[in-house]
């Protein structure tokens, strides 16, 4: 199997952490986004959305979308379990993961496309008001997470799961590339971050 990746891109990082947790041997292919390789006709056949990551199976079939790729990998390599063991746990982990994707990742994305790095690429007309609003949403979401982590050690339930991987990659990208680092006063959030960042698999 091959994973289409680009160094520093946060969604492929989610999958790379997942692969490392499962100790899977998957070839990493550099899809050079700076050269537009993710928009070529050949790549659009792998993922019509023109985005990475994409997992290509040995028979050539392709799976786009980080969460779907991770779900596939969990199905073919069930241990360590990262998606939940019983129906409630599976649903709860997915719910928490969706909250992070829809309520945090989406806002970080808005701040990113309206931020200075994308401005320099000249790809989109910037909307400063949109960035100001999404920055505020992200900061509020960090505060909510801090409150939640006062009582819980992990994002979903009582153990490390795919939802922790989704949150870590979102925060690390926001801090490094969008100037949205959680405030130092958010001690519970930082305690969680340190705990997850100390896992060897997250060093990718
Ligand atoms: N929902 C997708 C998001 C994928 C995504 O946005 N990938 C970024 C890189 S982190 C990308 O390819 N951006 C290029 C573009 O949107 O044109 C997933 O979870 O995989």
């Amino acid at each position: 199997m091959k994973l289409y990746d680009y160094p520093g891109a946060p969604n492929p990082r989610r999958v790379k952490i997942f692969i490392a947790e499962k100790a899977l041997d998957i070839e990493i292919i550099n899809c050079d986004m700076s050269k537009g390789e993710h928009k070529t006709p050949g790549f659009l056949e792998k993922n019509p959305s023109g985005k990475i990551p994409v997992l290509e199976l040995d028979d050539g079939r392709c799976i786009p979308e980080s969460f779907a790729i991770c779900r596939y990998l969990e199905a073919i390599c069930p241990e360590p379990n990262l998606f939940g063991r019983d129906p409630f746990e599976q649903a709860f982990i997915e719910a928490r993961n969706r909250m992070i994707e829809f309520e945090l990742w989406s806002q970080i994305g808005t701040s990113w496309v309206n931020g200075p790095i994308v401005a320099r690429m000249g790809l989109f007309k910037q909307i400063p008001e949109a960035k100001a609003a999404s920055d505020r949403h992200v900061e509020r979401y960090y505060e909510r997470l801090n409150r939640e982590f006062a009582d819980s050690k992990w994002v979903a339930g009582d153990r490390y799961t795919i939802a922790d991987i989704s949150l870590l990659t979102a925060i690390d990208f926001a801090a490094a590339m969008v100037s949205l680092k959680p405030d130092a006063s958010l001690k519970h959030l930082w305690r969680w971050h340190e705990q997850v960042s100390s896992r060897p698999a997250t060093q990718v």
Side-chain angles (χ1 to χ4, degrees), residues 9-12 14 33 38-39 50-53 65-67 101:
N11 285 293
R14 279 208 268 181
M33 294 206 295
H38 56 312
K39 304 295 180 193
K51 292 177 194 286
I52 55 166
E65 290 292 326
S66 321
F67 193 76
E101 290 198 352

Side-chain angles (χ1 to χ4, degrees), residues 6 8-15 33 38-39 43 47 49-54 64-69 101 105 112-113 123-124 173:
Y6 184 64
N11 285 293
R13 183 174 177 230
R14 279 208 268 181
V15 179
M33 294 206 295
H38 56 312
K39 304 295 180 193
F43 194 83
N47 180 3
S49 294
K51 292 177 194 286
I52 55 166
V54 169
E65 290 292 326
S66 321
F67 193 76
I69 295 170
E101 290 198 352
W105 270 96
W112 164 247
V113 297
L123 294 175
F124 302 102
F173 177 73

